[in-house]
Amino acid sequence: MESNAVLWRPTGRVERDLVARSGWRAWPPRLPDQPIFYPVTNRWYATKIAREWNVPAEGVGHVLRFEVDAAFLERYPVQRVGGRDVLEHWVPAEELDGFNERIDGPIVEIAEFRGPVAAAEFARAGAGLGRELPPAWRDYLGGASWLRRGWTGDEHHLSLSTPEETLAATRAWDRAGAHPGAAIIGGDGAGEHLVLDLREDEPPVLLVGVASAGWETAVPRAASVEELVDLVEAGEFEFYW
């Protein structure tokens, strides 16, 4: 019985966009100074490279997942290049076309990470909202890298907002003032907002539907921004009602 192996690939913006142009079906040719194409064997390692190498180099890092015929992959043995989970397959650049032919299904973008948000952007958002965003949120978005969007489980896709996006989204959503103190910091892209209640000294994180008429319909999701960040970083965040 045929089976597939799941592989992962950290990329910058350029390579990710070239994959998208292929219809999410193929990896682009290597550059002259790139003799090896190296997919990795696990999400942790791909995420580490995307956050520690792609983000500092380009301001953004992506983690992509794909499947390839397992029997075919055996011709490229696993290479351990560091710790226990630092594992790669090395595909010579001249063999990449053949490798692409053995990809089964689409290449899927699992996560996008961004670099630090400038303090000036937080200041502008705070002025527009009439309240400052919490220090823990400034620390997360202002840190070396943060999750811009991605799958935190098989069924939960989370998008987080920059401060300027928070200001624009909150103004557009709550024009009637039904949610005083609200700050939309993310969502699922399908009608569920992740919202801070800035009226509180330690703002809780709430789930609020896009059609909500007031705070009474909000569902608590995390007691604090610190708890939210911990869930996101552990890959354990879920939307629920």
Side-chain angles (χ1 to χ4, degrees):
M1 180 178 178
E2 294 183 358
S3 62
N4 292 335
V6 176
L7 296 176
W8 305 79
R9 172 80 179 162
T11 77
R13 174 69 72 188
V14 173
E15 184 170 338
R16 179 263 182 204
D17 289 349
L18 289 172
V19 171
R21 289 176 195 169
S22 78
W24 300 96
R25 293 290 176 176
W27 297 98
R30 308 302 288 158
L31 298 175
D33 62 344
Q34 299 172 332
I36 299 294
F37 172 75
Y38 62 96
V40 305
T41 66
N42 58 81
R43 180 172 181 170
W44 170 83
Y45 183 30
T47 299
K48 180 178 176 65
I49 297 172
R51 299 185 79 163
E52 296 181 4
W53 195 88
N54 294 109
V55 169
E58 303 183 37
V60 61
H62 304 269
V63 174
L64 281 63
R65 184 186 67 197
F66 65 104
E67 296 185 17
V68 66
D69 178 75
F72 172 78
L73 188 62
E74 289 179 359
R75 68 180 63 186
Y76 307 109
V78 172
Q79 307 291 330
R80 181 173 175 176
V81 295
R84 181 184 61 186
D85 296 319
V86 183
L87 305 173
E88 308 172 352
H89 294 273
W90 295 350
V91 181
E94 63 271 19
E95 298 179 23
L96 184 54
D97 286 345
F99 182 89
N100 280 331
E101 292 175 0
R102 297 304 184 103
I103 293 175
D104 187 8
I107 299 168
V108 179
E109 184 173 16
I110 297 300
E112 175 186 323
F113 297 93
R114 294 283 183 90
V117 174
E121 183 173 340
F122 282 102
R124 291 192 296 271
L129 292 167
R131 296 176 172 87
E132 294 296 324
L133 291 167
W137 194 236
R138 297 199 299 269
D139 289 344
Y140 183 53
L141 270 61
S145 69
W146 56 282
L147 179 71
R148 176 69 168 91
R149 56 192 174 95
W151 291 94
T152 61
D154 291 339
E155 300 178 358
H156 302 276
H157 190 274
L158 173 66
S159 295
L160 297 179
S161 303
T162 66
E164 289 183 349
E165 290 169 341
T166 288
L167 177 59
T170 303
R171 283 176 168 174
W173 172 64
D174 200 38
R175 292 177 180 174
H179 304 82
I184 298 173
I185 60 169
D188 67 353
E192 307 299 342
H193 291 319
L194 199 61
V195 184
L196 296 177
D197 183 356
L198 297 180
R199 297 173 300 174
E200 304 290 337
D201 291 336
E202 187 170 2
V205 183
L206 308 167
L207 295 177
V208 184
V210 66
S212 170
W215 280 121
E216 62 274 6
T217 63
V219 175
R221 184 58 191 88
S224 65
V225 169
E226 290 91 340
E227 181 181 336
L228 171 67
V229 170
D230 287 345
L231 289 169
V232 170
E233 288 295 294
E236 297 174 355
F237 177 86
E238 297 180 354
F239 287 95
Y240 60 71
W241 290 93

